[in-house]
Amino acid sequence: MKIATFNINNINKRLGNLLEWLAASQPDVVCLQELKSADGQFPAKALEAAGYGAVWRGERTYNGVAILARGAEPVLIRRALPGDPNDQQSRYIEAAVNGVVVGCLYLPNGNPQPGPKFAYKLAWFERLISHAAGLLALDVPVVLAGDYNVVPTDQDIYASRSWSKNALLQPQARQAYRRLLDQGWTDALRTLHPDAPIYTFWDYMRERWPRDAGLRLDHLLVSPTLKGRLVKAGVDRDVRGAENASDHAPAWIELTEPGAGRRSVSGRRAPS
DNA sequence: ATGTCCTGTACAACAGGA
């Protein structure tokens, strides 16, 4: 089971890029962010023709999240992050697919900081931490995937000082991400590739893609029940180099099927 | 401070977000 997250940066503007990547990468589940599309403009028909069922929460111009499932309809659980009924921004959707609960999130960017936008980012993070604790308590397989708008450590950005004041790197944001992991979540890409530089975002400005001046902002966190099923993880970097590309590239993980490799047909432990 | 890309407003550039 392959699960991906991709900040598409306007799903209608980049529908061709998305369909091309879906055909090439064949993910079973996709979390999309920054649809920048109202609910009624979501390209459900084109995605269905490509073999994907979808649930989404759009918003005109900004934000917007969706979960796609190959050959299936995601079972919607919620279309908002609990904790603030007055929060109107479309940044969270959750659905079950093939026995896995998938939370798709677009955490606020938070710039400029300090200021109200950074305060909103930190408050949103607190709500996510609370909700994530509740998900862990269910003791079911969960993936929390999306654009966290956090560079977790200095390992997750090219050598640069130009981002030091940016909300993506601030200690409060990094600490919140660390607190989330400390609940028991596994950062799949970093865990499978402990020493490699991994980037998922390259700013449009200043030749950042040709220079490979990237940041790791898009993360897939898996619950303890899924950690043992994690076999592979990566970033489809070439997507960023295409014509009309989003400024993010898709990140993905592969999970073994439930129970696979743990027990043989006879019921005894299978050799590993 | 700058750079890039894109949308919405509203009809030409500019504000805003990322």
Side-chain angles (χ1 to χ4, degrees):
Chain A
M1 186 180 191
K2 184 175 186 178
I3 304 177
T5 181
F6 187 11
N7 180 323
I8 189 66
N9 187 19
N10 193 323
I11 193 169
N12 286 305
K13 175 81 181 150
R14 279 175 245 292
L15 184 58
N17 302 60
L18 175 60
L19 294 174
E20 195 173 323
W21 167 71
L22 287 174
S25 181
Q26 298 273 307
D28 297 293
V29 181
V30 183
C31 296
L32 295 173
Q33 302 85 33
E34 286 208 85
L35 304 178
K36 296 185 173 177
S37 157
D39 273 339
Q41 313 304 125
F42 183 83
K45 287 231 168 67
L47 291 166
E48 191 186 344
Y52 285 86
V55 293
W56 64 92
R57 176 172 163 180
E59 184 180 329
R60 199 183 73 153
T61 314
Y62 305 119
N63 310 316
V65 283
I67 297 172
L68 315 183
R70 190 155 64 101
E73 291 300 325
V75 178
L76 182 67
I77 301 172
R78 64 182 81 241
R79 303 212 313 157
L81 184 65
D84 183 359
N86 295 319
D87 186 357
Q88 299 298 311
Q89 301 188 22
S90 298
R91 296 184 176 275
Y92 189 82
I93 191 165
E94 190 177 286
V97 184
N98 194 22
V100 177
V101 172
V102 178
C104 169
L105 63 108
Y106 176 48
L107 210 131
N109 172 296
N111 282 302
Q113 74 78 34
K117 293 195 173 174
F118 192 60
Y120 174 60
K121 176 180 197 160
L122 296 179
W124 205 95
F125 227 137
E126 291 304 319
R127 287 165 56 200
L128 179 63
I129 288 169
S130 297
H131 183 58
L135 289 171
L136 285 182
L138 298 175
D139 199 29
V140 297
V142 187
V143 178
L144 283 177
D147 180 355
Y148 283 72
N149 268 318
V150 175
V151 174
T153 73
D154 290 344
Q155 190 186 6
D156 301 305
I157 183 169
Y158 65 101
S160 165
R161 284 185 307 279
S162 53
W163 296 84
S164 61
K165 295 269 186 351
N166 196 287
L168 307 178
L169 278 76
Q170 293 315 298
Q172 299 102 307
R174 286 179 161 181
Q175 282 159 15
Y177 185 74
R178 170 44 60 188
R179 281 168 51 213
L180 190 56
L181 293 183
D182 286 347
Q183 290 179 334
W185 300 93
T186 296
D187 179 336
L189 271 88
R190 185 46 78 206
T191 300
L192 290 188
H193 305 285
D195 302 316
I198 309 170
Y199 306 140
T200 65
F201 165 86
W202 296 259
D203 201 298
Y204 288 124
M205 290 185 273
R206 293 189 158 193
E207 302 274 86
R208 294 244 167 79
W209 167 248
R211 291 166 44 218
D212 194 24
L215 286 66
R216 190 169 76 99
L217 301 180
D218 302 273
H219 311 303
L220 295 116
L221 271 49
V222 306
S223 63
T225 48
L226 283 181
K227 193 177 177 182
R229 288 172 58 189
L230 196 54
V231 286
K232 225 173 153 187
V235 177
D236 291 335
R237 285 173 54 102
D238 53 320
V239 168
R240 179 62 181 82
E243 199 69 34
N244 194 48
S246 166
D247 43 6
H248 294 249
W252 52 267
I253 60 173
E254 271 183 33
L255 303 171
T256 57
E257 290 312 307
R262 293 200 297 124
R263 287 191 181 274
S264 68
V265 176
S266 67
R268 292 193 306 258
R269 286 278 173 205
S272 53

Short mmCIF file of all heavy atoms in Angstrom, two decimals, chain A residues 27-48:
data_model
loop_
_atom_site.label_atom_id
_atom_site.label_comp_id
_atom_site.label_asym_id
_atom_site.label_seq_id
_atom_site.Cartn_x
_atom_site.Cartn_y
_atom_site.Cartn_z
N PRO A 27 0.05 5.73 -6.74
CA PRO A 27 -0.19 5.64 -5.30
C PRO A 27 -1.59 5.10 -5.01
O PRO A 27 -2.52 5.32 -5.80
CB PRO A 27 -0.06 7.09 -4.83
CG PRO A 27 -0.41 7.90 -6.03
CD PRO A 27 0.08 7.13 -7.21
N ASP A 28 -1.74 4.37 -3.91
CA ASP A 28 -3.06 3.87 -3.51
C ASP A 28 -3.88 4.93 -2.80
O ASP A 28 -5.10 4.96 -2.89
CB ASP A 28 -2.90 2.65 -2.61
CG ASP A 28 -2.21 1.51 -3.34
OD1 ASP A 28 -2.82 0.98 -4.28
OD2 ASP A 28 -1.06 1.19 -3.00
N VAL A 29 -3.17 5.79 -2.06
CA VAL A 29 -3.83 6.88 -1.32
C VAL A 29 -3.01 8.15 -1.54
O VAL A 29 -1.78 8.09 -1.52
CB VAL A 29 -3.92 6.58 0.19
CG1 VAL A 29 -4.62 7.71 0.94
CG2 VAL A 29 -4.62 5.25 0.44
N VAL A 30 -3.69 9.26 -1.76
CA VAL A 30 -3.00 10.54 -1.94
C VAL A 30 -3.64 11.60 -1.07
O VAL A 30 -4.87 11.77 -1.11
CB VAL A 30 -3.05 11.02 -3.41
CG1 VAL A 30 -2.25 12.31 -3.57
CG2 VAL A 30 -2.54 9.96 -4.36
N CYS A 31 -2.83 12.31 -0.29
CA CYS A 31 -3.27 13.49 0.43
C CYS A 31 -2.83 14.72 -0.36
O CYS A 31 -1.65 14.87 -0.67
CB CYS A 31 -2.64 13.53 1.83
SG CYS A 31 -3.17 12.17 2.88
N LEU A 32 -3.78 15.56 -0.71
CA LEU A 32 -3.47 16.78 -1.47
C LEU A 32 -3.72 18.01 -0.61
O LEU A 32 -4.66 18.03 0.19
CB LEU A 32 -4.36 16.87 -2.72
CG LEU A 32 -4.18 15.80 -3.78
CD1 LEU A 32 -5.26 15.95 -4.86
CD2 LEU A 32 -2.79 15.87 -4.41
N GLN A 33 -2.86 19.02 -0.80
CA GLN A 33 -3.05 20.30 -0.10
C GLN A 33 -2.98 21.45 -1.09
O GLN A 33 -2.46 21.30 -2.19
CB GLN A 33 -1.96 20.50 0.98
CG GLN A 33 -1.90 19.41 2.02
CD GLN A 33 -1.04 18.24 1.56
OE1 GLN A 33 -0.07 18.43 0.84
NE2 GLN A 33 -1.39 17.03 1.95
N GLU A 34 -3.44 22.60 -0.62
CA GLU A 34 -3.51 23.81 -1.43
C GLU A 34 -4.23 23.58 -2.76
O GLU A 34 -3.71 23.86 -3.83
CB GLU A 34 -2.11 24.42 -1.65
CG GLU A 34 -1.57 25.11 -0.40
CD GLU A 34 -0.61 26.25 -0.73
OE1 GLU A 34 -1.10 27.36 -0.97
OE2 GLU A 34 0.60 26.03 -0.75
N LEU A 35 -5.45 23.05 -2.63
CA LEU A 35 -6.29 22.88 -3.82
C LEU A 35 -6.57 24.24 -4.47
O LEU A 35 -6.68 24.34 -5.69
CB LEU A 35 -7.62 22.24 -3.43
CG LEU A 35 -7.59 20.90 -2.69
CD1 LEU A 35 -9.01 20.46 -2.36
CD2 LEU A 35 -6.90 19.83 -3.55
N LYS A 36 -6.74 25.26 -3.66
CA LYS A 36 -7.10 26.61 -4.13
C LYS A 36 -8.30 26.54 -5.07
O LYS A 36 -8.31 27.18 -6.13
CB LYS A 36 -5.89 27.28 -4.81
CG LYS A 36 -4.74 27.52 -3.84
CD LYS A 36 -3.60 28.30 -4.49
CE LYS A 36 -2.54 28.67 -3.45
NZ LYS A 36 -1.38 29.36 -4.07
N SER A 37 -9.26 25.77 -4.66
CA SER A 37 -10.45 25.54 -5.48
C SER A 37 -11.67 25.43 -4.58
O SER A 37 -11.61 24.80 -3.52
CB SER A 37 -10.25 24.22 -6.24
OG SER A 37 -11.50 23.68 -6.64
N ALA A 38 -12.76 26.08 -4.99
CA ALA A 38 -14.02 25.93 -4.26
C ALA A 38 -14.51 24.49 -4.40
O ALA A 38 -14.13 23.79 -5.35
CB ALA A 38 -15.05 26.91 -4.79
N ASP A 39 -15.35 24.05 -3.46
CA ASP A 39 -15.86 22.68 -3.50
C ASP A 39 -16.43 22.29 -4.86
O ASP A 39 -16.16 21.22 -5.37
CB ASP A 39 -16.96 22.50 -2.43
CG ASP A 39 -16.35 22.13 -1.07
OD1 ASP A 39 -15.20 21.64 -1.04
OD2 ASP A 39 -17.04 22.32 -0.05
N GLY A 40 -17.19 23.19 -5.46
CA GLY A 40 -17.84 22.90 -6.73
C GLY A 40 -16.89 22.85 -7.93
O GLY A 40 -17.27 22.36 -8.99
N GLN A 41 -15.68 23.37 -7.75
CA GLN A 41 -14.71 23.37 -8.85
C GLN A 41 -13.73 22.20 -8.76
O GLN A 41 -12.81 22.09 -9.58
CB GLN A 41 -13.89 24.67 -8.86
CG GLN A 41 -14.71 25.95 -8.73
CD GLN A 41 -15.76 26.07 -9.80
OE1 GLN A 41 -16.94 26.24 -9.49
NE2 GLN A 41 -15.36 25.95 -11.04
N PHE A 42 -13.88 21.36 -7.73
CA PHE A 42 -12.95 20.23 -7.57
C PHE A 42 -13.11 19.26 -8.75
O PHE A 42 -14.23 18.86 -9.08
CB PHE A 42 -13.24 19.52 -6.24
CG PHE A 42 -12.28 18.40 -5.95
CD1 PHE A 42 -11.04 18.65 -5.37
CD2 PHE A 42 -12.61 17.08 -6.26
CE1 PHE A 42 -10.16 17.61 -5.10
CE2 PHE A 42 -11.72 16.04 -5.99
CZ PHE A 42 -10.50 16.31 -5.41
N PRO A 43 -12.00 18.84 -9.40
CA PRO A 43 -12.09 18.04 -10.62
C PRO A 43 -12.35 16.55 -10.34
O PRO A 43 -11.57 15.68 -10.75
CB PRO A 43 -10.72 18.25 -11.27
CG PRO A 43 -9.80 18.48 -10.12
CD PRO A 43 -10.60 19.21 -9.09
N ALA A 44 -13.47 16.28 -9.69
CA ALA A 44 -13.78 14.90 -9.28
C ALA A 44 -13.92 13.96 -10.48
O ALA A 44 -13.48 12.81 -10.43
CB ALA A 44 -15.07 14.89 -8.45
N LYS A 45 -14.50 14.45 -11.57
CA LYS A 45 -14.74 13.61 -12.75
C LYS A 45 -13.42 13.15 -13.39
O LYS A 45 -13.26 11.99 -13.74
CB LYS A 45 -15.56 14.38 -13.78
CG LYS A 45 -17.02 14.54 -13.39
CD LYS A 45 -17.96 14.10 -14.52
CE LYS A 45 -19.39 13.97 -14.03
NZ LYS A 45 -19.94 15.31 -13.64
N ALA A 46 -12.49 14.11 -13.52
CA ALA A 46 -11.19 13.77 -14.13
C ALA A 46 -10.43 12.77 -13.26
O ALA A 46 -9.77 11.87 -13.78
CB ALA A 46 -10.36 15.04 -14.33
N LEU A 47 -10.55 12.90 -11.94
CA LEU A 47 -9.86 11.98 -11.04
C LEU A 47 -10.53 10.61 -11.08
O LEU A 47 -9.85 9.58 -11.03
CB LEU A 47 -9.84 12.55 -9.62
CG LEU A 47 -8.94 13.78 -9.47
CD1 LEU A 47 -9.21 14.51 -8.16
CD2 LEU A 47 -7.47 13.39 -9.57
N GLU A 48 -11.85 10.61 -11.17
CA GLU A 48 -12.58 9.34 -11.28
C GLU A 48 -12.18 8.61 -12.56
O GLU A 48 -11.95 7.39 -12.55
CB GLU A 48 -14.08 9.62 -11.26
CG GLU A 48 -14.92 8.36 -11.09
CD GLU A 48 -16.42 8.63 -11.22
OE1 GLU A 48 -16.81 9.83 -11.13
OE2 GLU A 48 -17.17 7.67 -11.43
#
